[in-house]
Amino acid sequence: MLKNILKYILVAGLSWFIIHSLYITYDGFTKPQQKADLAVVFGNKVNEDGTLSPRLKARLDKSIELYHNKQVKDVLVSGGLGKEGYWEGTEMKNYLIKNKIPTEKILVDNFGNNTEKTVINTIKITDSLKFSKVISVSQFYHQTRIKKLFREHNFKNIESSSPTYFEIRDLYSVFREFFAYYL
């Protein structure tokens, strides 16, 4: 009997993992339906030579697309000080400027050391600037948790947009996000 209960728990857990993974994949690729005041780009690795990781570059390219399509008025870049010695937000801003986003349309948060800090800092910025709608820009598997964190901090007008950039490690990231979502 105990063996059957354990088998049931394992099957139920595995089923939930599969359903959740499919949902975060679908949710991550849902395109924003409306315009927003701000796109917030979540940071990622800046390489030792100061170049942006392909993943970070893809996120920034997505924000550039949103800006040029007039879906957002401003872009917030958020990240921390990477172990490579670069402030992610500053390097992201430099990339946006090189790609013809006006300096006055770029906001920098160099204290977004993790997802929740970026969310909290973004909400503070939106409050101070009277912004009411945000589009988060990150990888597809990250978006469901980002939106959950915004809602937990009483910010409801959040949509997402993800680049179509994939790496083999995204499989691990989907797995990791399952646990991060519930913890």
Side-chain angles (χ1 to χ4, degrees):
M1 177 135 152
L2 181 59
K3 186 176 179 181
N4 285 339
I5 292 171
L6 291 174
K7 185 177 176 182
Y8 173 78
I9 291 171
L10 180 64
V11 169
L14 185 59
S15 297
W16 184 247
F17 171 76
I18 291 168
I19 290 166
H20 181 91
S21 297
L22 290 172
Y23 176 75
I24 65 172
T25 301
Y26 168 78
D27 185 40
F29 284 117
T30 301
K31 297 195 183 298
Q33 299 299 310
Q34 300 173 17
K35 294 181 179 182
D37 300 305
L38 185 68
V40 56
V41 184
F42 286 71
N44 204 269
K45 182 180 180 179
V46 176
N47 297 316
E48 290 179 10
D49 64 359
T51 60
L52 305 179
S53 66
R55 177 178 300 230
L56 183 54
K57 184 179 174 299
R59 291 177 187 185
L60 291 165
D61 289 342
K62 178 53 80 170
S63 72
I64 292 166
E65 177 186 318
L66 291 170
Y67 179 81
H68 287 306
N69 289 341
K70 299 189 183 331
Q71 279 190 271
V72 296
K73 297 174 189 172
D74 294 294
V75 178
L76 169 64
V77 290
S78 181
L81 178 61
K83 63 183 178 188
E84 296 80 12
Y86 295 96
W87 290 99
E88 292 172 3
T90 301
E91 297 306 316
M92 294 161 72
K93 178 181 180 178
N94 293 339
Y95 182 83
L96 292 177
I97 291 169
K98 287 178 188 171
N99 284 278
K100 307 214 180 341
I101 303 294
T103 304
E104 65 274 7
K105 294 296 184 178
I106 305 168
L107 305 165
V108 177
D109 167 25
N110 273 322
F111 300 100
N113 296 325
N114 61 40
T115 301
E116 189 162 22
K117 285 182 182 175
T118 292
V119 167
I120 291 167
N121 295 345
T122 300
I123 292 170
K124 287 177 184 174
I125 290 167
T126 59
D127 286 348
S128 70
L129 295 175
K130 308 262 189 275
F131 289 165
S132 62
K133 187 159 182 98
V134 171
I135 296 175
S136 71
V137 180
S138 190
Q139 302 321 110
F140 72 95
Y141 53 78
H142 198 202
Q143 296 290 11
T144 301
R145 183 164 59 98
I146 289 170
K147 291 188 274 192
K148 175 187 170 208
L149 287 168
F150 269 101
R151 290 180 184 116
E152 284 177 354
H153 289 282
N154 298 312
F155 190 94
K156 309 293 184 219
N157 290 326
I158 179 73
E159 290 191 63
S160 61
S161 188
S162 299
T164 52
Y165 173 81
F166 303 99
E167 295 175 310
I168 193 69
R169 76 181 236 189
D170 290 350
L171 296 173
Y172 159 76
S173 297
V174 168
F175 180 78
R176 187 198 71 213
E177 280 298 314
F178 174 80
F179 295 100
Y181 183 86
Y182 294 103
L183 296 177

